[in-house]
């Protein structure tokens, strides 16, 4: 946990170790785990903790990386990594340049 992050909570499902027939214990199968943050010291730390409670920073970071990948994919002539672009044919490049404005336009749609 970072120093500016607020508290987080997740759930653990308790079951038997037998992989063949897992049996969940009634009324005590789920355990809630809460990770509490230290009290914020200073205005900046308190503001950062409040922002962390309002916005899930981890989801924002994951969304930004997916959006970045959309733009990188739009700029490649064929799906895949940069090595596949080296093997692209003339037809692949022709279709890529014809479709490039549309690819970039649709890359602006969030994932």
């Amino acid at each position: 946990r970072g120093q500016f992050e607020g508290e987080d909570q997740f759930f653990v499902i308790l079951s038997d170790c037998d992989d063949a027939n897992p049996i969940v214990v009634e009324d005590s199968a789920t355990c809630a785990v809460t990770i509490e943050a230290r009290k914020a010291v200073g205005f900046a730390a308190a503001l950062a903790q409040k922002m962390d409670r309002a916005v899930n920073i981890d989801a924002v970071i994951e969304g930004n990386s997916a959006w970045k990948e959309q733009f990188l994919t739009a700029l490649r002539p064929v799906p895949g990594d940069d090595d596949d672009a080296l093997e692209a044919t003339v037809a692949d490049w022709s279709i890529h340049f014809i479709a490039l404005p549309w690819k970039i336009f649709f890359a602006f749609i969030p994932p």
Side-chain angles (χ1 to χ4, degrees):
R1 301 211 41 85
Q3 75 182 51
F4 299 122
E5 291 188 61
E7 68 179 31
D8 271 342
Q9 184 176 23
F10 62 93
F11 298 94
V12 177
I13 298 174
L14 306 172
S15 65
D16 290 340
C17 294
D18 185 15
D19 290 335
N21 251 339
I23 300 171
V24 178
V25 180
E26 295 292 324
D27 297 329
S28 61
T30 304
C31 177
V33 178
T34 303
I35 301 172
E36 295 183 0
R38 292 174 283 166
K39 182 135 177 99
V41 179
F43 176 74
L47 180 64
Q49 280 189 351
K50 288 179 184 176
M51 287 177 55
D52 183 56
R53 284 188 205 109
V55 178
N56 187 350
I57 300 298
D58 297 327
V60 171
I61 291 171
E62 183 178 334
N64 285 344
S65 68
W67 210 351
K68 175 185 172 187
E69 187 61 33
Q70 277 185 207
F71 278 99
L72 292 176
T73 303
L75 297 174
R76 291 186 188 121
V78 290
D81 56 2
D82 292 333
D83 293 336
D84 294 337
L86 296 174
E87 299 172 1
T89 64
V90 174
D92 290 333
W93 281 102
S94 301
I95 293 172
H96 171 68
F97 283 119
I98 291 170
L100 186 62
W102 291 106
K103 287 180 173 184
I104 293 174
F105 176 74
F106 286 115
F108 279 101
I109 298 172

